[in-house]
Amino acid sequence: MTRVAFIGLGNMGGGMAANQAKAGREVMAFDLSPAALDKAAAAGCSRAGSVAEAVRTADAVVTMLPAGPHVRQVYAEHILPHAPKTALLIDSSTIDVESARAVAAQAKAAGFRFADAPVSGGTAAADAGTLAFMVGCDEGDFAAVEAMIAPMSRATMRAGDHGAGQAAKICNNMVLGISMIGVCEAFALAEKLGLDGERFFEIASKSSGQCWSLTNYCPWPGPVPAAPSNRNYEGGFATAMMLKDLKLAQEAAARAGAATPLGATAEGLYALFDRLGGGGKDFSAILEMLRGNAP
Ligand code: NAD
């Protein structure tokens, strides 16, 4: 039986680990939070007392941790010294490209195969096993990474070498953050001009304003029933998470010397919305701030 060590069982990792167990794999799970560990155990995973214990006999290790410093520390102190060299190491956290490349270099130097494989899709997709994975790894390792990820994925795409998965993730989310603000500004203007929101949606969705933020995730309640705007912007993709990804994009742009003025503006607007109390709301709720309403 394939043995998977799963480290980080939070909002995303909990469902992802459960899907590995559902696929018949032996999952050794660890999280610093006892409550997260209890939930994973109830979903068919085995409890490990530490990262070292979880990875000791693993065929693959999947990490789903908050940010770059957590990933650097867990790999350097707990995974690389204790996992068998044959284990395939996959980090699915969203972290900075530099940290992903640094961890990959350390893992490679220690004789491991490593992939950065951040995900697109929120907690519902994590629970359903329908995340999209953007992978940075050696070409020859991709088939093994894809097979290991399969129970958690609806699409697994290789972006390039180490760090390319994280690069694809932050570039994609920068498009998303910018396009959502554009759509929200258009709804706020349409309203001031006396144009009915639903009518504007019908027209723009069949015109050149059409984009994912409008037609799949419409911030105006009504036209797209599955969108968080119909649930008072609860659930979905939290503003605080979008802000984290936009910050990563800005840090990467500064380091690489890329001009991303709209990305910088989007980061500023989401930071403002976060400070006004919107951090826990879905990121499409920024419509309310742009309409002049409190979050
Ligand atoms: P979360 O905070 O719910 O979960 C992170 C878990 O890691 C926590 O349970 C925490 O206890 C655990 N942890 C932290 N340090 C640890 C350590 N040293 N050892 C073991 N466990 C440790 O976060 P999340 O929402 O599950 O997100 C995880 C990652 O996925 C983040 O990088 C996030 O940006 C990314 N992501 C999240 C979403 C989303 O919608 N929530 C979507 C796509 C990507």
Side-chain angles (χ1 to χ4, degrees):
M1 190 189 276
T2 305
R3 290 180 302 268
V4 179
F6 211 108
I7 315 300
L9 308 162
N11 293 325
M12 296 293 289
M16 292 163 71
N19 283 320
Q20 289 285 356
K22 252 185 239 157
R25 292 171 177 176
E26 187 185 331
V27 180
M28 286 297 283
F30 179 72
D31 194 294
L32 294 175
S33 149
L37 205 45
D38 285 347
K39 224 171 149 188
C45 303
S46 303
R47 293 166 191 272
S50 65
V51 176
E53 187 191 325
V55 304
R56 198 157 285 138
T57 60
D59 298 308
V61 178
V62 182
T63 42
M64 196 56 173
L65 297 165
H70 306 85
V71 174
R72 282 181 186 256
Q73 192 219 347
V74 167
Y75 271 83
E77 294 178 17
H78 305 291
I79 296 177
L80 299 183
H82 297 289
K85 302 285 182 213
T86 47
L88 176 62
L89 310 180
I90 300 173
D91 177 42
S92 284
S93 327
T94 301
I95 65 171
D96 57 291
V97 177
E98 223 183 358
S99 290
R101 289 193 176 137
V103 171
Q106 284 167 9
K108 217 171 171 180
F112 289 95
R113 293 166 296 154
F114 175 84
D116 49 292
V119 302
S120 177
T123 51
D127 291 346
T130 56
L131 293 164
F133 285 75
M134 307 167 198
V135 181
C137 69
D138 286 344
E139 202 165 3
D141 294 338
F142 182 65
V145 173
E146 196 176 19
M148 203 48 73
I149 281 173
M152 312 182 286
S153 167
R154 73 173 157 77
T156 302
M157 299 158 281
R158 182 171 176 271
D161 292 334
H162 297 125
Q166 297 295 349
K169 164 81 184 175
I170 58 175
C171 290
N172 178 75
N173 279 21
M174 189 173 76
V175 173
L176 180 63
I178 292 169
S179 71
M180 180 56 79
I181 289 169
V183 168
C184 289
E185 284 188 2
F187 272 109
L189 176 60
E191 184 178 37
K192 290 276 186 219
L193 297 176
L195 177 58
D196 176 68
E198 298 238 2
R199 194 78 199 111
F200 171 61
F201 173 85
E202 283 164 25
I203 293 166
S205 63
K206 292 184 185 66
S207 305
S208 49
Q210 190 278 332
C211 65
W212 191 91
S213 290
L214 178 71
T215 51
N216 287 47
Y217 219 76
C218 186
W220 191 269
V224 179
S229 54
N230 300 294
R231 305 189 299 275
N232 196 26
Y233 304 99
E234 299 300 338
F237 184 44
T239 289
M241 289 282 181
M242 172 54 84
L243 181 57
K244 173 193 165 186
D245 292 356
L246 288 169
K247 278 186 202 295
L248 289 176
Q250 285 311 293
E251 285 161 19
R255 232 177 269 121
T260 53
L262 287 180
T265 302
E267 185 206 341
L269 286 167
Y270 276 110
L272 180 59
F273 186 50
D274 185 50
R275 275 198 296 278
L276 290 171
K281 295 260 183 196
D282 179 74
F283 77 113
S284 63
I286 201 164
L287 171 65
E288 291 306 308
M289 184 179 88
L290 295 168
R291 289 169 85 195
N293 299 333

